[in-house]
Amino acid sequence: MKTRPGICQRKRRYGSREEADAAALRADVALRTYKCALCKQFHLTSRTKGLRPPRGFG
């Protein structure tokens, strides 16, 4: 997934996939974790079309 610089700057950053996955599981909506190519940290996205759901869902 390509993230534009402006989007990356506005999103919360997580230092590890586990930390981001935990935040995704606490959310009221289905979120997916991904590693950002710009900041090299992890973000959450609600876009799931054609992608696996986060760990713990299903």
Side-chain angles (χ1 to χ4, degrees):
M1 171 176 292
K2 290 187 178 182
T3 303
R4 297 189 313 261
I7 300 297
C8 175
Q9 290 173 353
R10 288 192 300 262
K11 286 193 169 194
R12 181 171 292 178
R13 295 177 178 149
Y14 298 93
S16 70
R17 181 173 300 276
E18 290 77 20
E19 185 181 357
D21 284 343
L25 290 173
R26 288 191 301 269
D28 293 334
V29 296
L31 296 174
R32 187 181 65 80
T33 302
Y34 71 96
K35 187 167 186 176
C36 179
L38 297 174
C39 70
K40 308 297 186 218
Q41 293 187 326
F42 294 89
H43 297 300
L44 300 176
T45 183
S46 61
R47 297 190 71 175
T48 58
K49 183 176 180 182
L51 301 170
R52 292 188 316 234
R55 295 176 207 149
F57 275 83

